[in-house]
Amino acid sequence: MKKKLTLKQIARELDVSVSTVSKALRDSAEISEDTRQKIKAFAKLYNYKPNNIALSLKNRKTKTIGVIIPEIVHHFFTTVISGIEQVANERGYHVIICMSNNSFDKEVINMELLANGSTDGFIISVAKETQQKQDYHHLNEVVNQGMPLVMFDRVIDEINCDKVIIDDTIGAKKAVQKLIDLGSKNIGIITTVDYVSVGKLRTEGYYKALRENNIEVNEDLILRVEDFDRSEEEIKAFLSQRKVDGLFAVNEHFAIYAIKAVQEQGLKVPEDVSVIGFTDGELSKQFMPSLTTVSQHGAEMGAQAARLLIRKLENTEMEEGPHQTIIIETGLVERNSTKH
Amino acid sequence: MKKKLTLKQIARELDVSVSTVSKALRDSAEISEDTRQKIKAFAKLYNYKPNNIALSLKNRKTKTIGVIIPEIVHHFFTTVISGIEQVANERGYHVIICMSNNSFDKEVINMELLANGSTDGFIISVAKETQQKQDYHHLNEVVNQGMPLVMFDRVIDEINCDKVIIDDTIGAKKAVQKLIDLGSKNIGIITTVDYVSVGKLRTEGYYKALRENNIEVNEDLILRVEDFDRSEEEIKAFLSQRKVDGLFAVNEHFAIYAIKAVQEQGLKVPEDVSVIGFTDGELSKQFMPSLTTVSQHGAEMGAQAARLLIRKLENTEMEEGPHQTIIIETGLVERNSTKH
DNA sequence: TACTGGTACGAAAACGTTTTCGTGTTGAAA
DNA sequence: TTTCAACACGAAAACGTTTTCGTACCAGTA
């Protein structure tokens, strides 16, 4: 159980000074070829690796980026993380992930923890509770400290920082337009309560598509799910009293529950009712019928977010530049829950 | 954009020494009530927070634990992470997650990176490639440095460390026994090639259950999937030429593909063929028919792993103690892919 | 008065690096 | 012989903490 080797130990062992060792290992011209070789050989033999913590302290940068997400057990977020990891690692950064579990308090605690030296910057998708409370002091604080911050997916307009979002509204509009093109006349939507920003935006897309096709909006065909844990029941109850031939759901689960409810009524998907979901997860692919969805390209979102952050991190000068918002296009993946 | 406040700045501002500030903030009795109040008030006003990096360097511990997993886009691993996060956060640790993407090289790089001061210990499930190559030098190195290491799920017997596993063999045996009890006579298994430790163990459970019931093993009913990316085709081809009335699959996806293949042949699940999977993910719950599975209790695995690691971290004395292996019991979740 | 002891604070070392700025030794030019 | 670079290395500061030790001051005691 030998502890890690330090410069000091090498110096003592080889009877030179710490500075000499450091310089030799960094190939400084100041050190003679001879000693340089000797030191490097020794370091290699005993597998010397510089201590990251000491480096971080010295350089005042950690080469790590902090990612804060509401929940990890969610396919979309894991794909985003994959994207972040990939570009971060390519550029020599590593990634710390913390979950807020959709709790405002945990989000604040995690951010404060990581902000005190552990990370150079943040990539975050805020907790539902934060959107609801509209308390953004922790985010502002980080920004004021001059720490780069990139928000993705669930972003907050009031915060001045880089953002990566998808065109929720357009994506939703495309989906609803698809339903219209397929001949659906009575199109329902299953969405969330309005304070969830993406839910709201997707609902807007629904409105827009209808309006653009001169279809009158029937508020009775809109379900705003209150309680995620009871969503299956809410959806079943809702559909049992409506007659629809097209359904747009703002996430994968709502879509699945909707299909099940429809099937229980003896109707067929997609023959009687076409269904389109949002977020392209494993479930959409494997479910039968497989689900037509608006795909979010999570990995690309993550990659873009990481790129934005790293650019800010490495542009120390001009870091006060204007903030960008990158919009990732959505795609429509057609599968078997819609007619062909 | 004010940079973070340091002890030194407070000291200068209040015209005392750095040591005084530090002591005052830590409520040392050495400092007079007066100055203590003054300093604390100032620190609070300007929201002073100690720099974690400096603390880590000083204390030679980082209060973070490194988690290395093969892939994150996998429901089982995300539940494990949830479990780890939860107990880690409770005890004041945070968690760094790195993915190996099932690549040996990336696993090595990530571990070396994190081992150089970034983390106090590791929780790891090794990459497939590592199991295949049987090259464990990076793991041994970490252990030799005296860094606590906990392995979970995909563990390596040769490494001497704490481990958290599930009773793969028993779990599989239970599942196959269930199929037998349900009256299946020709029970097939869809498993992985043998170097994946969990696949091998689950296959053993299959053998055991058959033997204990005096059923002759028919090697022709065993499919060892070679290529994950082509598993759907392999499974379809395999099943098209076998006649089975019971199927055990070592993971969720294999089970789903099996069901699809069976249904394509015009057979019904569970009436004609009963199917049981392994790993209880979203897919198992939502698929139709919903899937009877052996559940792995990922969150509990994670929690136990974190507990083991933290115990080692905090027991500096006696840290050479014997290593434990905790076995998490599996459960059998009965759903609609088996008869009732 | 001279000593003791307590109080309240500061100096400095330490953690492991990197980097700036000396400085002693050499060989060659003047 | 003296002077001056060039060379090869070391000392020390710095990053932000905590902690040990030292010490100035004062009051109380002998």
Side-chain angles (χ1 to χ4, degrees):
Chain A
M1 206 203 63
K2 14 167 193 167
K3 281 281 163 210
K4 293 238 75 170
L5 193 59
T6 71
L7 286 188
K8 201 191 287 188
Q9 292 168 40
I10 301 184
R12 200 182 312 136
E13 221 49 55
L14 262 47
D15 210 38
V16 291
S17 77
V18 176
S19 8
T20 307
V21 179
S22 172
K23 289 174 192 163
L25 292 178
R26 321 196 88 233
D27 275 325
S28 157
E30 271 182 73
I31 307 299
S32 71
E33 188 59 25
D34 249 24
T35 20
R36 214 191 308 168
Q37 290 309 330
K38 195 176 56 178
I39 292 175
K40 289 181 111 175
F42 187 91
K44 179 148 199 181
L45 179 60
Y46 291 103
N47 194 26
Y48 168 77
K49 294 274 167 49
N51 180 309
N52 283 329
I53 296 287
L55 284 181
S56 296
L57 185 57
K58 179 118 236 313
N59 302 331
R60 275 119 121 243
K61 58 170 74 168
T62 61
K63 282 279 191 177
T64 81
I65 77 192
V67 178
I68 298 187
I69 51 172
E71 48 196 340
I72 197 174
V73 193
H74 193 311
H75 188 266
F76 170 64
F77 287 117
T78 56
T79 57
V80 174
I81 292 179
S82 287
I84 294 175
E85 269 263 343
Q86 186 155 348
V87 339
N89 288 353
E90 265 171 23
R91 322 240 170 142
Y93 285 78
H94 37 292
V95 176
I96 298 187
I97 299 166
C98 283
M99 290 183 290
S100 62
N101 277 324
N102 271 318
S103 140
F104 172 77
D105 289 334
K106 231 191 138 192
E107 185 174 293
V108 172
I109 291 178
N110 274 329
M111 281 202 80
E112 289 188 345
L113 211 63
L114 294 188
N116 295 321
S118 306
T119 56
D120 297 341
F122 283 105
I123 296 179
I124 184 175
S125 179
V126 298
K128 247 180 255 168
E129 220 187 333
T130 306
Q131 295 194 311
Q132 197 173 2
K133 293 181 83 156
Q134 307 197 19
D135 180 346
Y136 313 134
H137 76 272
H138 53 308
L139 301 170
N140 277 317
E141 208 169 283
V142 162
V143 171
N144 285 338
Q145 274 175 204
M147 260 203 180
L149 171 66
V150 177
M151 306 188 63
F152 74 93
D153 197 49
R154 297 207 205 134
V155 305
I156 292 170
D157 294 335
E158 290 90 329
I159 302 286
N160 202 357
C161 67
D162 286 339
K163 290 165 189 145
V164 182
I165 52 176
I166 58 165
D167 53 346
D168 283 287
T169 307
I170 299 181
K173 207 179 85 177
K174 272 197 261 183
V176 176
Q177 184 66 52
K178 181 77 194 174
L179 291 173
I180 295 171
D181 293 346
L182 288 171
S184 296
K185 302 295 179 200
N186 295 300
I187 301 177
I189 179 173
I190 301 174
T191 181
T192 63
V193 282
D194 268 354
Y195 63 77
V196 178
S197 61
V198 297
K200 186 175 178 186
L201 294 172
R202 292 172 196 170
T203 310
E204 274 173 25
Y206 166 81
Y207 283 121
K208 273 198 184 166
L210 295 186
R211 260 189 254 113
E212 284 183 12
N213 289 272
N214 297 315
I215 300 178
E216 203 177 333
V217 173
N218 179 354
E219 289 286 336
D220 190 49
L221 295 183
I222 298 178
L223 169 61
R224 289 188 169 82
V225 172
E226 299 275 351
D227 180 359
F228 267 66
D229 297 329
R230 290 198 59 257
S231 51
E232 185 158 13
E233 293 82 14
E234 284 190 43
I235 292 170
K236 193 183 293 186
F238 173 80
L239 288 176
S240 69
Q241 315 203 0
R242 283 22 176 222
K243 195 154 167 33
V244 298
D245 54 3
L247 263 175
F248 171 57
V250 299
N251 63 46
E252 202 174 49
H253 278 93
F254 289 179
I256 298 289
Y257 292 144
I259 292 182
K260 288 186 178 177
V262 167
Q263 289 178 336
E264 276 180 27
Q265 295 174 29
L267 297 173
K268 284 194 172 167
V269 176
E271 290 80 356
D272 303 315
V273 184
S274 284
V275 179
I276 299 185
F278 214 110
T279 295
D280 194 25
E282 202 58 30
L283 206 48
S284 306
K285 274 185 218 123
Q286 303 297 347
F287 197 74
M288 292 177 72
S290 58
L291 202 60
T292 297
T293 59
V294 179
S295 69
Q296 286 187 90
H297 306 140
E300 202 195 325
M301 282 191 83
Q304 291 283 14
R307 270 192 276 271
L308 277 179
L309 186 66
I310 292 176
R311 187 193 302 172
K312 277 276 193 293
L313 288 176
E314 318 220 309
N315 263 32
T316 37
E317 12 77 57
M318 247 334 268
E319 96 185 74
E320 304 287 347
H323 296 292
Q324 295 182 46
T325 295
I326 294 183
I327 297 179
I328 308 280
E329 281 215 14
T330 54
L332 191 64
V333 182
E334 290 191 54
R335 297 210 187 83
N336 298 323
S337 65
T338 47
K339 290 170 243 172
H340 295 289
Chain B
M1 203 202 67
K2 12 163 201 183
K3 281 281 166 210
K4 292 239 75 172
L5 194 59
T6 70
L7 286 189
K8 201 190 287 189
Q9 292 169 40
I10 301 185
R12 201 181 314 134
E13 219 52 52
L14 263 47
D15 209 39
V16 291
S17 77
V18 176
S19 7
T20 305
V21 179
S22 172
K23 287 175 194 162
L25 292 177
R26 320 195 89 235
D27 274 325
S28 157
E30 270 183 73
I31 307 297
S32 71
E33 189 58 24
D34 248 24
T35 18
R36 216 190 306 168
Q37 290 309 329
K38 194 176 56 178
I39 293 175
K40 290 181 111 176
F42 187 93
K44 180 147 200 182
L45 179 60
Y46 290 103
N47 193 24
Y48 168 77
K49 293 276 168 49
N51 179 309
N52 283 329
I53 296 287
L55 284 180
S56 296
L57 184 57
K58 178 116 237 308
N59 303 329
R60 276 119 121 244
K61 57 170 75 170
T62 62
K63 282 279 190 176
T64 80
I65 77 191
V67 178
I68 298 187
I69 51 172
E71 46 195 340
I72 199 175
V73 194
H74 192 311
H75 188 266
F76 169 64
F77 287 117
T78 55
T79 57
V80 174
I81 292 177
S82 287
I84 294 175
E85 270 263 343
Q86 185 155 351
V87 339
N89 288 354
E90 267 170 23
R91 323 241 170 143
Y93 285 78
H94 39 291
V95 176
I96 298 188
I97 299 166
C98 284
M99 289 183 290
S100 62
N101 277 326
N102 270 318
S103 140
F104 172 77
D105 289 334
K106 231 191 139 193
E107 185 174 293
V108 173
I109 291 177
N110 274 329
M111 281 202 80
E112 290 187 344
L113 212 62
L114 294 189
N116 295 322
S118 305
T119 56
D120 296 341
F122 282 105
I123 297 179
I124 183 176
S125 180
V126 297
K128 249 181 254 169
E129 219 187 333
T130 306
Q131 295 192 312
Q132 196 174 2
K133 291 181 85 156
Q134 307 196 16
D135 181 345
Y136 312 134
H137 76 273
H138 53 307
L139 301 170
N140 278 316
E141 209 169 282
V142 162
V143 171
N144 285 338
Q145 274 175 208
M147 261 203 182
L149 172 66
V150 177
M151 307 188 64
F152 74 92
D153 196 49
R154 298 209 204 132
V155 304
I156 292 170
D157 294 336
E158 290 90 329
I159 303 285
N160 203 357
C161 67
D162 287 338
K163 289 163 190 148
V164 183
I165 52 176
I166 59 164
D167 53 347
D168 282 289
T169 308
I170 299 181
K173 208 180 84 178
K174 273 196 261 185
V176 177
Q177 183 65 52
K178 181 77 194 174
L179 292 173
I180 296 171
D181 293 345
L182 288 171
S184 296
K185 303 295 180 199
N186 295 300
I187 300 177
I189 178 173
I190 301 174
T191 180
T192 64
V193 283
D194 268 354
Y195 63 77
V196 179
S197 61
V198 297
K200 187 175 176 185
L201 293 172
R202 292 172 196 172
T203 311
E204 273 172 28
Y206 167 80
Y207 282 123
K208 272 198 186 166
L210 294 187
R211 261 188 254 112
E212 284 183 12
N213 289 272
N214 297 315
I215 300 177
E216 205 177 332
V217 174
N218 180 353
E219 288 287 335
D220 190 50
L221 295 183
I222 299 178
L223 170 61
R224 288 189 171 79
V225 171
E226 299 275 350
D227 180 359
F228 266 67
D229 296 330
R230 291 199 57 258
S231 51
E232 184 159 13
E233 293 83 13
E234 283 189 44
I235 291 169
K236 194 183 293 187
F238 171 81
L239 287 177
S240 70
Q241 315 201 1
R242 277 37 172 214
K243 195 155 165 31
V244 297
D245 54 3
L247 263 176
F248 171 58
V250 300
N251 64 46
E252 202 173 49
H253 278 93
F254 290 180
I256 298 289
Y257 293 143
I259 292 181
K260 289 186 178 177
V262 166
Q263 290 176 336
E264 276 180 27
Q265 295 173 32
L267 299 173
K268 284 195 170 166
V269 177
E271 290 79 356
D272 303 315
V273 185
S274 285
V275 179
I276 299 184
F278 214 109
T279 295
D280 193 26
E282 203 58 29
L283 205 47
S284 306
K285 274 188 218 119
Q286 304 295 349
F287 198 74
M288 292 179 67
S290 58
L291 201 60
T292 297
T293 59
V294 179
S295 69
Q296 287 187 91
H297 305 141
E300 201 194 326
M301 283 191 82
Q304 291 282 13
R307 270 192 275 270
L308 277 178
L309 186 67
I310 292 176
R311 187 192 302 172
K312 278 277 193 295
L313 287 176
E314 318 221 308
N315 262 30
T316 39
E317 11 78 56
M318 244 337 265
E319 95 183 76
E320 304 286 348
H323 295 294
Q324 295 183 46
T325 295
I326 293 183
I327 297 179
I328 307 280
E329 281 215 13
T330 54
L332 191 64
V333 182
E334 290 191 56
R335 298 208 185 82
N336 297 324
S337 66
T338 48
K339 289 169 244 173
H340 295 292

